[in-house]
Amino acid sequence: MTDTADSLDSLDNLVSLRVTRSGHVAEVTLLGPGKGNAMGPDFWRELPVVFRTLDADPQVRAIVLAGSGKHFSYGLDLPAMMPGWAEYLTGEALAAPRTAFLDEIRTLQESVSSVAAVRKPVIAAVSGWCIGGGVDVISAADIRLASADAAFSVREVKVAIVADLGSLQRLGAIIGEGHLRELAFTGKDIDAARAERIGLVNEVHPDREALLTAARELAEEIAANPPLVVRGVKDVLSVNTEQQVTAGLRYVSTWNAAFLPSKDLAEAVQAFMERREPNYQGE
């Protein structure tokens, strides 16, 4: 693929994402720089810039979103993100730091929501691991495809966090409340076969190369249709869930700003850094 659109020139210096274009299809690739394309400060800053730029580009009619290397994303880059949140997450945090943390959560939510808000269809192509924040991002896409080695996890509960970036708000309409509650309560991993059975992904392909080929072909098929009509279809479909998602995101951001700090969260972070199983006490 080659980038030929003048309006994409501003995206040349990205750190966490790469954007290319072929014809009317743009491809956004997660680059990390954290291991497994983990999502650190650069990612959350750059994601909305990329999708707003693609939204404004009249030459782009469909978007493919994929991870570089073997994995889509390990999710939130905890080592990169936690130092900046230390003040917010102590049990002694008063109104000012909690309000600042509320603003931080809503900024991250808006970053993910930029994927849903773009007026061109977005196809997420998932290979390898798609964990936590990765699931939030693909939940904001219009269509999800996977390779046979893909694995998914709404894993926030495992690190003493209520998922707050969109999975709990968007996945119910995609996979149904029963499946969503099971995944969110347990934090379990599911493979590509189950993801297809429950409707999280539309199709499973043998490997990453076949997956990307299928995603690009589907994007080209969409891009061949009248662009304003496709945009209208997405707009009409989004009305069904948009208000509910917005209200849910606002509620969970307020809930987490109030209740996220806990001894269990501190234990989760410590256990992660020490590479051991956490011992939760419900405190």
Side-chain angles (χ1 to χ4, degrees), residues 250-261:
R250 186 172 183 82
Y251 181 82
V252 73
S253 63
T254 305
W255 198 98
N256 267 357
F259 298 119
L260 185 62

Side-chain angles (χ1 to χ4, degrees), residues 158-160 264 267-272 275-281:
K158 294 286 192 182
V159 289
D264 280 348
E267 166 64 8
V269 173
Q270 191 68 25
F272 177 83
R275 300 183 178 225
R276 62 171 173 81
E277 289 297 315
N279 180 23
Y280 295 130
Q281 301 295 321

Side-chain angles (χ1 to χ4, degrees), residues 13 162 210 214:
N13 297 318
V162 175

Side-chain angles (χ1 to χ4, degrees), residues 75-194:
L76 191 70
D77 189 344
L78 280 173
M81 300 294 290
M82 291 302 288
W85 295 347
E87 182 185 7
Y88 310 147
L89 300 180
T90 66
E92 293 75 31
L94 297 176
R98 287 175 187 260
T99 300
F101 188 52
L102 174 64
D103 292 341
E104 177 75 7
I105 295 169
R106 289 182 175 172
T107 297
L108 300 186
Q109 289 178 339
E110 289 169 5
S111 182
V112 174
S113 292
S114 69
V115 178
V118 68
R119 292 171 292 179
K120 293 86 185 276
V122 179
I123 301 163
V126 181
S127 57
W129 281 107
C130 182
I131 302 171
V135 178
D136 289 314
V137 169
I138 68 165
S139 299
D142 297 285
I143 299 167
R144 288 151 294 279
L145 307 178
S147 59
D149 69 342
F152 304 83
S153 180
V154 184
R155 195 173 290 182
E156 285 84 350
V157 70
K158 294 286 192 182
V159 289
I161 295 174
V162 175
D164 57 10
L165 301 186
S167 291
L168 301 187
Q169 289 71 38
R170 294 186 171 98
L171 280 181
I174 297 168
I175 65 175
E177 284 290 326
H179 291 300
L180 171 56
R181 288 170 188 260
E182 178 188 351
L183 298 184
F185 290 154
T186 64
K188 67 170 56 176
D189 307 332
I190 63 169
D191 61 16
R194 183 171 181 197

